[in-house]
Amino acid sequence: MSSARASDGVELGATITVDGFAQGDRVDVQGISKGHGFAGGIKRWNFSGGGASHGSMIHRQPAFERRHERPATRRAASRRPGHYGVDRITHQNLEVVRADAERNLLLVRGPVPGPKNGLVIRAAVGETKVTA
């Protein structure tokens, strides 16, 4: 039986440390975004609210759907209220500020997905491409 190997030569199940990272390196970071539950259009899609004065009663309601054109259907990919968050997000080309080998911590400048003290799924070294 041969031992399983990942594409970069690291054996599966091996302990990974931050020794391979240095200040100024570029990394790709992948994690699960924060969950927001069931959210309306304003929170989920950054819609603007309705009027707030003069008796307006449409403050945070979703958009009109054109039901008179095609009854019992709606347009595909329309931005509607629904479940928001808990998606796998990858941010590429983030800068490594410091790699602390004592505590096995990698400090990254940029938007790391997920809650505070959350688990980051992947921190892979990004390749810099030079165009001539």
Side-chain angles (χ1 to χ4, degrees), residues 32-85:
I32 304 296
S33 66
K34 284 185 183 181
H36 297 271
F38 189 94
I42 292 176
K43 186 173 197 177
R44 188 176 182 201
W45 300 109
N46 299 319
F47 286 166
S48 59
S53 63
H54 302 292
S56 172
M57 292 188 279
I58 301 174
H59 302 297
R60 296 180 70 91
Q61 291 181 357
F64 158 72
E65 272 195 13
R66 299 180 183 166
R67 290 196 178 153
H68 62 279
E69 291 178 4
R70 295 180 63 189
T73 61
R74 68 178 183 98
R75 291 192 315 193
S78 61
R79 297 178 298 174
R80 304 288 299 155
H83 184 265
Y84 177 45

Side-chain angles (χ1 to χ4, degrees), residues 98-115:
R98 193 174 84 195
D100 187 358
E102 284 182 16
R103 296 184 291 173
N104 202 26
L105 292 177
L106 187 65
L107 302 176
V108 178
R109 174 176 288 131
V112 177

